[in-house]
Amino acid sequence: MIAWVRTVIFRILFYGASVPIVLSAPLSARFGRRAMHVHAHVWIATHRFLARWILGVRVRIEGKRPAGTYLFAVKHQAMFETLEMAQRIDGPLIVMKRELIDMPFWGRTARAYGAIGVDRDASSKALRQMLKEAAVARAENRSVLIFPEGTRVAVGAAPPLRSGFAGLYKALNMPVVPVALDSGHCMPRKGPSRPGVITIRFLDPIPAGLPREEIEARVHAAINALEPAAGDTPLAE
């Protein structure tokens, strides 16, 4: 019951604070991308503050984010990392669901920040469009953030990577930094949030130019480094 009370209070405060932040984003966009990044970091800081002091969720960083431009491939268990990683990587282009990009008002704001839309159906047309939009990363020398599993998954789940990841990796010709995390233990997709520590682990960069099977296998193993070992009982969602 206490966990649910904390979760409801967190959601009311976070989404309540998000309304003016999101609605005012177009004003920041008028002053350029740097202003947009500052605006986004205010939103991220709000989420982090409320998660810490309402939910009792803290963050532990393992490894070190390398300097330079990379394709960051991140495990996806909660909404937490969609915000947190944007700040940890310092303003990357973010690959997200096309449905979010197409939302009125919000989608326009996301594009101004630097979001790349991708369809869930992974059709050839959808992939070509994603690669076209991602080409701006090369021109602007920005890192790219992708959740290669395509959607949030439960603790213990390790689905195969979506096909769009390999295409993006090849098109960008960037080394990959896998990022493992365990946010689902504290902030599961279903059910109340729980106090605890979320670990974010930056792993060693993987070079560009590897065959598809090899890059997918290495990234899959790396982003699942914090998943429960065989025989362990994962937390249910």
Side-chain angles (χ1 to χ4, degrees), residues 45-187:
T46 300
H47 181 268
R48 186 182 297 166
F49 177 85
L50 294 174
R52 174 68 182 91
W53 298 107
I54 302 298
L55 300 178
V57 173
R58 293 175 288 117
V59 178
R60 175 175 59 220
I61 302 296
E62 295 182 353
K64 184 177 181 181
R65 177 177 69 87
T69 303
Y70 294 88
L71 173 58
F72 288 85
V74 183
K75 182 70 180 178
H76 198 13
Q77 293 182 341
M79 190 186 78
F80 167 85
E81 54 266 14
T82 61
L83 294 173
E84 187 73 18
M85 293 308 301
Q87 192 275 332
R88 298 286 178 183
I89 299 174
D90 193 22
L93 289 166
I94 303 174
V95 179
M96 62 177 62
K97 294 181 293 186
R98 176 69 61 180
E99 300 95 293
L100 297 176
I101 297 293
D102 291 339
M103 288 176 61
F105 190 84
W106 160 250
R108 188 175 181 180
T109 302
R111 286 187 182 278
Y113 176 81
I116 303 168
V118 60
D119 292 330
R120 284 176 178 265
D121 60 12
S123 66
S124 58
K125 181 180 178 181
L127 293 176
R128 286 196 301 270
Q129 181 62 30
M130 180 187 69
L131 298 179
K132 181 180 178 181
E133 293 180 11
V136 72
R138 300 296 294 176
E140 297 181 358
N141 197 35
R142 294 175 68 183
S143 290
V144 176
L145 167 62
I146 186 172
F147 300 102
E149 292 167 319
T151 189
R152 290 175 292 173
V153 300
V155 173
L161 307 187
R162 294 292 182 93
S163 58
F165 168 74
L168 190 63
Y169 167 76
K170 181 178 179 180
L172 292 175
N173 195 34
M174 287 180 176
V176 180
V177 174
V179 181
L181 50 78
D182 57 2
S183 57
H185 288 287
C186 294
M187 302 178 77

